Amino acid sequence: MDLLIDVNVALDICTQRQPHALASALAMEAAKARNARLWLYCGSTQTLEYNLYHHLKHENVEAGSTLPNKAVLKKTRQLLSDFANDKHWLAALAGEGPVFDARDPEDAQLLNALDRFPAGSIRLLTRDGDLLDGYPDKTISPLAYCEMEPPKPKLAFIDLAAQQQIIRPELERNIHRVLHHGQYILGPEVRELEQRLAAYTGAKHCITVASGTEALLISLMALGIKPGDEVITTPFTFVATGEMIVLLGATPVFVDIEPDTCNIDARLIEAKITERTKAIMPVSLYGQPADMDAINAIAARHGNIPVIEDAAQSFGATYQGRKSCHLSTIGCTSFFPSKPLGCYGDGGAIFTSDDRIAQACREIRVHGQSQRYVHTRIGVGGRMDTLQCAIVLAKLDRFDEEITQRQAVARKYHQLLAAEEDVRAKTPRRQEAADEQNPLSALASLRETFRVLPWPLEDRTSVFAQYTILADDREALQANLNQAGIPTAVHYPVPLNEQPAYAHLCCPDCTPVAQQIAKQVISLPMHPLLTPADQNRIVHALTPPATDPNG
Ligand SMILES: *Cc1c(COP(=O)(O)O)cnc(C)c1O
């Protein structure tokens, strides 16, 4: 449970007013230990300063000190700034201004501000008896907070809240800017984001679109993909990759994957090229680019077949020093909230250095319109809205740092898990040794069987959209983790060519590696702010100590 700090509690701590200061300080410590957030209301800044200043002045007079007012003010600000240092600032919103008919306007503001949070997730930390009595569900005293049962630690698969905490000032400023200029469609943030992302990848053009799926659709439309055409792609991906091909009436031709990267196996592509092949669409899965140069070379040998990189998971990754999305004819990415660079809704982008393709994409994005009410081609309503662009912009400055953090988290997983693998390889199975005949022991040993995927290849980097391992008995592993409160996901349980809507398009057994890998993959919690302590907890839960089969 988070806390909004009332002015009296903040002042207790800053003034060291006993006995209150002790309880308040303990509540701060308890909050920290519980990983709860401590908020200060922006609207309280002046009240804090005013009250603390007068308290210190009064104290000085009492003590017979002749400290000049300027020095008292300086001390006031220093104390407040130290106090606020590890707190979060909660913006004061317009609706919280007119509280003059309230008995206590300041209290009314704080209580109103709580309504923005999900019920029960936050309380006002106060020692004001009237508030505590009048609003027992919205308030709590420092002592009562210290005595509360701490919640069971829960782990997020992707902790967007932790990221939001860091970028809140930029986020709020950017969102408010859009509210004030009012250009919700194709506003200035759209252009700014496109310029910054193009510069980031090195591609000449960036066209933001409504989603990653829309990016794939518009790219295929810009290439003129139509019924009867074939598009070579991987079956081991999110459904949208194959779906957009089928939506246009074209046929996805599924090529099997490499077992180490889980990306399309470039060596198998050439055999699938026919005169109907109009595009090749590799996916840079889990954040690691596919073997793009090998694929580009094959495409070039066969009359320059366009190559679309589905980089929905790999924005920010590199391949031979170049950025994903700028590795082939077209790159498509997604700003779905859980992607490495996400917005707070749907969004995506298309990258290309081909002027004609870029122009086509821009037109298709707005109903094939080349000028107002001149529709030169068939298009879609596929724009990314200004607010979502403003949100991505707020995240962009920290993005490279987040990639570094993701890679460090992945490295740590890799080391912890490889060490576990090693131990298991060297020690005979405890329970097998104990009881060869017991079927439970066989099951238990299976439970512990997992393998890490190889570290990304030397000529590329991954942004680790997912940290995925392989398990022989995935369900048992998931159950272990679930029991320990650790969420997992499966990317993806069924290859596209085995999905009911796609099975008729491809022989189901023609991609045996994808078929096998899909049964084994399991993704662990992954985000830039995952702590080493949580990672230890996760790996520990993955390999629980053996239980005695007889006990
Ligand atoms: C997420 C994803 C998409 C679709 O992106 P949306 O923004 O959700 O439409 C497409 N391909 C892959 C590989 C993805 O991971």
Side-chain angles (χ1 to χ4, degrees), residues 430-468:
R430 289 156 287 197
Q431 291 165 11
E432 276 170 359
D435 185 357
E436 292 264 346
Q437 303 303 311
N438 191 329
L440 268 180
S441 68
L443 194 67
S445 70
L446 201 61
R447 261 190 202 146
E448 296 175 22
T449 309
F450 62 82
R451 261 169 303 131
V452 296
L453 283 168
W455 191 252
L457 298 173
E458 255 176 30
D459 62 348
R460 56 201 98 167
T461 61
S462 173
V463 291
F464 290 98
Q466 255 69 252
Y467 187 86
T468 304

Side-chain angles (χ1 to χ4, degrees), residues 211-212 312 333-348 395:
S211 68
T333 199
S334 161
F335 305 123
F336 189 82
S338 59
K339 306 284 162 140
L341 182 62
C343 57
Y344 288 160
D346 277 311
K395 295 191 178 186

Side-chain angles (χ1 to χ4, degrees), residues 45-46 58 83 89 111 113 116-117 143 181 184 186 190 215 231 240 242 245 249 263 324 349 388 487-488 493 521:
T45 307
Q46 280 84 353
H58 181 74
F83 177 71
W89 284 105
L111 291 171
R116 283 185 244 160
F117 293 81
L143 273 182
H181 69 54
Y184 309 119
L186 297 180
V190 179
V231 178
I245 299 168
N263 282 327
S324 177
Q388 296 305 339
T488 55
V521 283

Side-chain angles (χ1 to χ4, degrees), residues 211-213 216 237-238 240-241 283 310 312-313 334 336 339 346-347 492:
S211 68
T213 305
L216 298 171
T237 177
F238 179 65
T241 317
V283 177
D310 181 346
Q313 300 181 12
S334 161
F336 189 82
K339 306 284 162 140
D346 277 311
Y492 295 91

